[in-house]
Structures are given as C-alpha cells and as structure tokens.
Amino acid sequence: MPEREKCFEQAELRLYSLKEKMNFSDLQFERIKSTIFKSSIWDRGIDEAIVDFMNEFDEDEKEEMKFRYETAKIASTSAKELWNQLNKCSDIELPKESIIIILSYFIEYFKEFADQFNDNKDTEVLIHLRKSLEDIKQM
C-alpha cells in the first residue's frame, strides 16, 4: 500500500476511534461528522447543491439529509452554534471537554489531508476548525 494511502487510512481509523471513545452510535457519529465537514466549508454554492441533491432521495432519506443540512448550516455561523448543533446530533448535552476532544480529532484528521495535498499549509477547513476550537476554549 502506498505511503499516502496508509496515512489516510490511519487518519480515518483515528477519527473513527473518536466514535468509540465518546460512545457514539453510528448515526450520532455520522451526523457529527457530516455537520463538521459541511459547516467548515459552507457557502451559497454548497447550499444550492445540497438542496438539489436532497430532492433525489426518498422521504426517509430526505428527512435525514434535511436534518444534516440544517445542522451544518446553523453550525457554520459560530463556535457556539457548532456546539449547539453537535449537541443536537448526539442527542445529549456535550460538555466543553467533549467538544474540545471532538474538534481536536477532526483537526488532526484534516491536518493529514493538508499535509499531503496542501504542502503542510492549513486549508479553509482547518482554519475554521481551529478558530472554533479556540473560541470554545474561551467560553
């Protein structure tokens, strides 16, 4: 297996170890992951693409996609809203320490991609997540 693929596989495994560490169900974890991924890069183009994409699903799938769409959109506005939406995704009130752990794992995950594809320079996602992490630490 090429070195780059190994790095990505290990990053993915570390990210999924968060699911076990925090005792999230598959659905909770996928909702959290989806919210963090989308909220970090939200813009009008993504907004329109997601709405178009959601229309292709059946009603049950559409409801889940709508939930993820709404949480990511709201989470993109501020660190406090990100925290609120992650609480909504997990169906529990996550303490500050848990939010810090979650964001740290995702930062580590995206850092691997930045190292491999962006010459070790932070991407927009990393900048957003690091800012959110710092804001939450200050709360």
Side-chain angles (χ1 to χ4, degrees):
M1 178 182 297
E3 188 63 32
R4 185 177 272 184
E5 284 183 36
K6 272 188 203 176
C7 290
F8 294 145
E9 187 176 304
Q10 289 173 350
E12 189 82 14
L13 289 173
R14 283 191 303 271
L15 184 61
Y16 277 90
S17 73
L18 173 66
K19 178 183 164 270
E20 304 302 320
K21 181 176 187 163
M22 304 296 287
N23 293 315
F24 291 134
S25 70
D26 289 340
L27 181 59
Q28 287 171 317
F29 182 73
E30 289 303 319
R31 284 178 167 181
I32 287 168
K33 182 179 167 190
S34 175
T35 297
I36 290 174
F37 278 29
K38 290 180 184 95
S39 71
S40 301
I41 56 169
W42 200 271
D43 67 17
R44 190 161 190 242
I46 289 175
D47 191 33
E48 292 169 3
I50 290 174
V51 171
D52 289 343
F53 181 66
M54 284 191 317
N55 290 329
E56 297 177 20
F57 289 97
D58 67 32
E59 286 306 311
D60 289 339
E61 291 171 322
K62 193 181 282 188
E63 283 301 311
E64 180 62 23
M65 291 300 292
K66 186 174 180 180
F67 174 87
R68 293 183 191 195
Y69 163 80
E70 292 297 330
T71 57
K73 187 173 183 176
I74 294 167
S76 70
T77 61
S78 70
K80 181 65 176 162
E81 281 304 325
L82 176 60
W83 188 345
N84 290 338
Q85 296 309 310
L86 294 182
N87 284 337
K88 190 174 180 180
C89 290
S90 65
D91 293 325
I92 58 174
E93 289 291 320
L94 295 164
K96 180 178 181 176
E97 296 76 24
S98 293
I99 296 295
I100 290 170
I101 290 169
I102 290 167
L103 291 179
S104 296
Y105 269 73
F106 278 90
I107 288 168
E108 182 181 325
Y109 177 79
F110 284 113
K111 179 76 174 116
E112 187 64 45
F113 287 89
D115 290 349
Q116 295 292 328
F117 291 115
N118 208 34
D119 295 327
N120 297 314
K121 294 180 183 131
D122 284 355
T123 59
E124 183 179 337
V125 173
L126 275 170
I127 292 166
H128 172 78
L129 289 176
R130 285 192 173 124
K131 182 183 179 314
S132 295
L133 179 61
E134 288 308 310
D135 290 349
I136 286 172
K137 285 180 178 178
Q138 299 301 316
M139 290 179 180

